[in-house]
Amino acid sequence: MYLLNVLIERNIYALNNTFLYASNDYVNKGVRVLVDFNSSKDLIGYVLEVNETTLTIEELKIEKGFNISFIKDIIDTKPLLNSELFELGKTLSKKYFYPLIGTYQTMLPKTLRPKNIKTKSHIAYDYFYKINRNNINAELTPFQKKILAKFNYFNEINKNELNKSKGLADLINKGIIEEIKKEKYRYKPQKLFEYENVINLTKEQERVYNEIINSNDLVYLLYGITGSGKTEIYIKLIEHYLKKNQTALILVPEISLTPLMISRILSYFNENEIAILHSSLKESERYDEYRKISLGKVKIVIGTRSAIFAPLDNIGLIILDEEDSSSYKEEKLLPYHAKEVAFIRAHYFNGKVILGSATPSIESMAKAKNKIYHLLRLEKRYNELNLPLISLVDRKDITNFSSKSYIFSLPLIKEIQNALKRNEQIILLVNNRGYGRTFYCRECGHVFKCPNCGSNLVYHKNTDSLLCHHCDYKMAKPNKCPNCGSHFLSFYDFGIEKVEEEFKKIFNVKYEVLDSDRTPKSLQISNILNKFNKKEVNVLIGTQIVSKGHDFSDVTLVGVINADSFLNYPSFRSYENTFNLITQTIGRAGRKDKPGKAIVQTSYLDNYAINYAINNDYESFFNKEIEQRKLLNNPPFYWVLKIEIESINENDLYDFGNDIYDLFALIEKDVIVYRLTNISFFKERYIGQVFVKYKRLSDIELTVNNLINIFKNKSGFKIKIDPNSYDY
Ligand code: ADP
Ligand code: ZN
Ligand code: ZN
């Protein structure tokens, strides 16, 4: 008999240890089994350890002092994860103070998760016919001869092509033709854009390439201005490591950037060597891509954040393009950053991690300057192109606007018209979703707020509703003020829907909109990008999805409609985000042979993030920002531990918040603790956060684990711990 240590599917701290089950059959470590647990029937268990025993179940009961039940079924024949990923899960669970089962659930695609969910994917097959020469000696009818004429020694013919042919059944019965089935992979990557399949690196690119392949360092920060050809270097590096029989993983931050990266990789490498993993694949497609990777059939994986868990073996290279993007941080499940997982995996395989960006995060650049990462720079655009000519427009100066529009300034209108006359292309960035940002009563000033979380509600004209961008609460647009009864309701500030409406009024041309609310699917995004690329439209209006990565040769004008939208966002990263957004957006213009122009509209002419961005001065921005971070004890000087607690009782929440404060206040050095804050009420529960700033994880580790133990014995609470909160 075998004794199994099993994790139960429930992702909670109280069950973050294994339970013993018995099995008469041998079970592989790392497979799913069906078990009963307490009074719950048919839960999924995940086997962590297997030990043979000679004792009977009765003897075990006496030895252990409790009953051991048998598992009910074995679900998988093979372990879900290979040994590297199996161990990685344990490392990450400790590092992020997250239950192990939840860690494995985060790492696996939905259909393979050790969790009782309905969606199941099955392998799909294609059926073929093949000729069996050994059996051809029977008399054949003319129909049968005709069928056989389609075969030669090697070919296989798809079942559908032959199915209706006369005489086929007989050929199969006689064993002359045999049916074979092959695993089918349901996803076909699309090559949306054409790229050269020969790359000659420039001198500067070559230098960077050589420095990487000839060094033994683990992490490289490739800081290359927009249009300097980072992707070309990635491709050459991938080629290098593939030749050495290693594999490569390449991540982009958003789904909207996958079509471009896929096109570029497909232009250079063989389709059969590539798998794609991102969240808008269908579950069945994702299951296939995942299987393809774990069977060792591909050498390159392209994907978004969670693709960092792709079961690739022998990884030589992990690339995170646009490394500064916040999308690399998971906020809901295991609070990992793809970068941190990349370091662990690359280290395991003795591979390398390339962090690429035109605007490296302050943390990464600080580490590079301290020689923790290997810093590499590309200072010229490909073909020595100039960066666009940039002008700033003061939104507070009314002479910049006519009565026609308070969104499009006169200089911007003029440049758009000029570009359109020359049949060149334009990208307009509007970094606000919705139509009107703040919906309010013009009579009494009442502002409509989310009843759940208190955020300002945003008016969406498309659906004629008010939406909370914080918690997704939605209500029909009210026509009366609940405070004074007035019907005089309006909004200040504007979002992309309003910009679009105004664009239509001023310019009589076709355009496309890329808005995360309206075009969430990668196929829709691809279609829009494709249209723009083929110049079926000359204007692309979009939220921040248009700011990064795209490479359209005919874009000569970029307009940042409102550079200030990130500035007022309450986060220690708001300046960094503003600088990066403007720099990246400007970088979309003038990428091929035509010179580019950019117009940036702002109300904060003196803001340093905006000014350094339009002067293309990353270095000065970094110096100023790092000074501020130091002054305010922010990353990379201190890291931020976020503890979010939830309770149905407001007083209990405060009490627990105080306990947590007291617990961390006991730590003697290099820790700053803040009292419970950001309290909100959502779905009948009170939620609050305690922040702790610390310098080294080892300084807080013990206390966090103590907290988890205290929490386990408390009922009526929920807790969420993020040891490296991205924002606060
Ligand atoms: P980045 O990612 O650094 O913004 P890209 O890799 O998109 O830059 O390169 C910008 C443009 O220059 C692309 O159109 C790319 O094809 C072209 N390019 C860059 N390097 C080369 C090269 N060595 N040979 C040919 N074209 C190049
Ligand atoms: Zn009112
Ligand atoms: Zn809300």
Side-chain angles (χ1 to χ4, degrees):
M1 196 174 71
Y2 299 90
L3 267 184
L4 317 179
N5 295 68
V6 174
L7 282 173
I8 303 298
E9 64 173 79
R10 303 241 164 99
N11 183 24
I12 50 178
Y13 286 105
L15 295 182
N16 189 25
N17 44 301
T18 56
F19 297 88
L20 276 182
Y21 284 86
S23 167
N24 286 321
D25 301 318
Y26 178 73
V27 181
N28 272 317
K29 185 163 114 165
V31 305
R32 291 172 296 181
V33 290
L34 205 61
V35 296
D36 289 342
F37 180 75
N38 289 345
S39 54
S40 315
K41 296 238 172 287
D42 292 345
L43 293 188
I44 309 275
Y46 184 70
V47 180
L48 277 199
E49 252 183 79
V50 182
N51 293 298
E52 197 165 3
T53 174
T54 50
L55 302 179
T56 64
I57 208 94
E58 285 74 28
E59 289 165 343
L60 278 168
K61 183 178 173 182
I62 295 165
E63 189 196 287
K64 307 268 179 196
F66 55 83
N67 257 329
I68 295 177
S69 10
F70 279 91
I71 59 166
K72 298 175 77 179
D73 204 359
I74 303 171
I75 299 176
D76 308 296
T77 46
K78 277 198 318 192
L80 294 177
L81 293 167
N82 63 29
S83 63
E84 182 240 339
L85 292 167
F86 191 71
E87 293 304 318
L88 176 69
K90 295 181 187 166
T91 308
L92 296 179
S93 164
K94 282 206 191 79
K95 181 178 167 71
Y96 295 112
F97 305 99
Y98 199 72
L100 184 55
I101 194 70
T103 307
Y104 287 132
Q105 284 165 354
T106 312
M107 291 169 67
L108 283 156
K110 248 201 193 114
T111 44
L112 292 176
R113 275 177 200 170
K115 192 177 180 189
N116 215 341
I117 43 170
K118 295 276 164 344
T119 42
K120 275 215 179 80
S121 276
H122 298 283
I123 299 176
Y125 294 96
D126 276 327
Y127 293 86
F128 296 88
Y129 291 122
K130 201 177 137 204
I131 200 161
N132 188 351
R133 297 261 156 189
N134 296 329
N135 288 334
I136 312 180
N137 42 28
E139 284 285 300
L140 298 173
T141 65
F143 280 129
Q144 292 176 335
K145 281 185 184 156
K146 206 168 136 196
I147 294 176
L148 286 191
K150 295 185 180 174
F151 287 93
N152 56 33
Y153 274 103
F154 311 106
N155 69 341
E156 291 155 1
I157 298 180
N158 196 300
K159 196 172 168 174
N160 300 328
E161 278 178 46
L162 285 183
N163 250 356
K164 299 228 165 67
S165 314
K166 264 192 186 154
L168 180 70
D170 211 28
L171 282 175
I172 294 171
N173 285 340
K174 286 182 181 153
I176 295 173
I177 284 179
E178 59 186 346
E179 187 186 283
I180 49 175
K181 66 175 189 179
K182 285 188 176 171
E183 279 195 24
K184 176 163 135 181
Y185 300 112
R186 283 161 278 199
Y187 180 71
K188 266 243 156 297
Q190 256 192 324
K191 189 164 21 157
L192 208 55
F193 311 109
E194 284 301 325
Y195 273 92
E196 297 280 332
N197 61 356
V198 183
I199 292 176
N200 295 310
L201 294 183
T202 63
K203 271 221 175 70
E204 203 190 19
Q205 291 167 344
E206 180 95 27
R207 174 180 53 75
V208 167
Y209 168 85
N210 281 324
E211 207 170 317
I212 295 173
I213 60 168
N214 293 324
S215 154
N216 287 322
D217 293 332
L218 176 70
V219 186
Y220 301 78
L221 177 63
L222 174 53
Y223 162 39
I225 64 167
T226 52
S228 55
K230 292 183 285 295
T231 320
E232 273 67 21
I233 297 179
Y234 301 156
I235 290 174
K236 281 290 183 187
L237 285 172
I238 294 172
E239 187 180 35
H240 175 82
Y241 289 99
L242 256 51
K243 274 194 192 136
K244 292 173 57 174
N245 249 333
Q246 290 173 296
T247 61
L249 179 54
I250 171 157
L251 301 188
V252 291
E254 322 214 354
I255 291 178
S256 60
L257 291 174
T258 52
L260 180 71
M261 191 55 86
I262 292 170
S263 300
R264 293 184 83 163
I265 300 285
L266 277 179
S267 304
Y268 203 80
F269 297 98
N270 183 339
E271 186 184 318
N272 299 328
E273 296 181 313
I274 301 167
I276 313 288
L277 282 178
H278 61 68
S279 59
S280 71
L281 298 190
K282 292 193 200 109
E283 274 317 320
S284 57
E285 294 173 332
R286 207 192 319 207
Y287 173 72
D288 287 352
E289 295 298 291
Y290 193 86
R291 210 173 66 251
K292 211 155 76 175
I293 303 166
S294 59
L295 291 172
K297 290 193 187 293
V298 299
K299 300 210 172 78
I300 303 170
V301 174
I302 308 170
T304 45
R305 182 180 60 226
S306 64
I308 193 61
F309 298 115
L312 266 180
D313 203 2
N314 202 10
I315 300 175
L317 191 66
I318 304 179
I319 296 163
L320 275 82
D321 195 26
E322 320 283 1
E323 69 90 28
D324 53 300
S325 171
S326 63
S327 311
Y328 283 127
K329 168 82 184 178
E330 165 71 51
E331 294 290 350
K332 292 203 177 107
L333 307 161
L334 174 78
Y336 69 93
H337 193 296
K339 187 156 70 176
E340 294 162 348
V341 181
F343 299 159
I344 300 173
R345 296 199 70 188
H347 179 74
Y348 177 92
F349 290 110
N350 225 338
K352 290 175 177 163
V353 179
I354 315 286
L355 307 173
S357 180
T359 50
S361 64
I362 298 291
E363 284 111 300
S364 292
M365 184 51 90
K367 285 190 177 158
K369 290 196 179 223
N370 288 330
K371 304 247 165 19
I372 300 169
Y373 301 163
H374 188 141
L375 181 61
L376 301 154
R377 301 185 61 159
L378 289 171
E379 294 175 43
K380 291 193 213 107
R381 278 193 148 184
Y382 178 65
N383 270 346
E384 319 255 321
L385 286 174
N386 287 323
L387 281 165
L389 211 66
I390 303 155
S391 37
L392 212 53
V393 172
D394 185 358
R395 290 191 55 216
K396 289 196 310 268
D397 180 353
I398 51 164
T399 63
N400 282 327
F401 293 84
S402 77
S403 59
K404 258 209 293 201
S405 172
Y406 71 99
I407 290 177
F408 289 89
S409 65
L410 293 168
L412 181 57
I413 293 176
K414 194 171 130 232
E415 288 301 339
I416 293 174
Q417 281 163 342
N418 288 342
L420 289 173
K421 261 186 226 143
R422 294 191 302 263
N423 190 25
E424 291 167 355
Q425 291 188 296
I426 300 158
I427 291 180
L428 297 172
L429 173 83
V430 193
N431 198 37
N432 281 326
R433 297 159 54 197
Y435 185 89
R437 303 291 299 170
T438 308
F439 196 64
Y440 74 114
C441 169
R442 297 186 76 157
E443 212 72 65
C444 75
H446 171 79
V447 173
F448 288 76
K449 291 189 184 263
C450 172
N452 290 331
C453 72
S455 310
N456 287 359
L457 291 171
V458 176
Y459 176 53
H460 283 241
K461 197 167 188 180
N462 285 324
T463 49
D464 204 31
S465 57
L466 300 181
L467 197 69
C468 173
H469 286 183
H470 190 69
C471 72
D472 292 336
Y473 170 85
K474 193 175 174 179
M475 66 186 274
K477 180 187 166 195
N479 53 19
K480 211 165 87 175
C481 172
N483 193 34
C484 72
S486 163
H487 295 279
F488 199 23
L489 307 178
S490 183
F491 26 70
Y492 31 82
D493 219 345
F494 53 87
I496 187 162
E497 293 176 12
K498 174 81 181 160
V499 173
E500 179 188 352
E501 192 177 283
E502 202 131 323
F503 181 86
K504 251 192 294 196
K505 263 192 243 157
I506 306 172
F507 308 96
N508 188 20
V509 292
K510 283 196 282 185
Y511 62 87
E512 280 293 339
V513 179
L514 261 189
D515 172 359
S516 49
D517 283 314
R518 278 178 280 171
T519 37
K521 292 264 157 54
S522 80
L523 193 65
Q524 295 166 304
I525 294 172
S526 295
N527 286 341
I528 290 175
L529 294 177
N530 203 9
K531 266 192 190 167
F532 190 62
N533 191 48
K534 287 193 187 141
K535 291 194 75 171
E536 285 169 26
V537 295
N538 275 343
V539 181
L540 183 62
I541 305 173
T543 48
Q544 51 175 317
I545 352 184
V546 301
S547 68
K548 282 190 176 187
H550 299 296
D551 185 38
F552 301 107
S553 49
D554 253 1
V555 173
T556 56
L557 177 66
V558 156
V560 179
I561 303 290
N562 182 7
D564 313 338
S565 52
F566 265 156
L567 280 182
N568 303 319
Y569 189 76
S571 159
F572 73 88
R573 288 183 205 273
S574 61
Y575 277 39
E576 178 182 347
N577 291 341
T578 301
F579 178 88
N580 293 3
L581 184 71
I582 296 174
T583 308
Q584 295 278 1
T585 313
I586 292 171
R588 297 313 111 212
R591 291 170 71 87
K592 270 283 152 69
D593 30 21
K594 296 171 189 153
K597 264 192 188 169
I599 293 195
V600 178
Q601 303 188 150
T602 172
S603 304
Y604 302 96
L605 286 186
D606 303 329
N607 180 279
Y608 72 80
I610 291 176
N611 276 287
Y612 286 135
I614 64 158
N615 288 317
N616 182 36
D617 191 352
Y618 177 87
E619 200 62 31
S620 301
F621 174 71
F622 175 84
N623 290 335
K624 178 87 186 167
E625 184 67 11
I626 199 92
E627 210 176 79
Q628 298 289 312
R629 297 280 179 97
K630 185 162 191 169
L631 226 58
L632 300 169
N633 299 320
N634 280 332
F637 299 97
Y638 278 85
W639 306 102
V640 182
L641 163 71
K642 177 166 85 179
I643 302 162
E644 188 169 291
I645 51 174
E646 217 182 292
S647 167
I648 36 175
N649 183 306
E650 194 173 6
N651 285 332
D652 288 353
L653 187 86
Y654 278 99
D655 287 347
F656 192 25
N658 284 334
D659 291 348
I660 295 174
Y661 176 91
D662 293 343
L663 201 62
F664 281 92
L666 287 177
I667 302 176
E668 271 165 11
K669 58 172 197 255
D670 295 340
V671 170
I672 307 166
V673 195
Y674 299 82
R675 291 221 174 256
L676 189 71
T677 168
N678 294 343
I679 295 159
S680 58
F681 184 62
F682 179 49
K683 288 193 179 153
E684 310 288 297
R685 300 181 76 94
Y686 293 90
I687 303 169
Q689 296 167 335
V690 175
F691 290 99
V692 179
K693 289 184 182 172
Y694 65 94
K695 280 190 184 291
R696 287 160 301 268
L697 196 63
S698 56
D699 292 344
I700 56 157
E701 222 166 1
L702 199 66
T703 313
V704 177
N705 284 320
N706 282 343
L707 167 65
I708 292 170
N709 283 328
I710 294 170
F711 165 77
K712 277 194 212 165
N713 298 317
K714 255 175 135 65
S715 58
F717 289 97
K718 273 193 189 165
I719 195 166
K720 226 168 97 187
I721 295 166
D722 183 348
N724 196 354
S725 176
Y726 196 75
D727 270 322
Y728 81 93

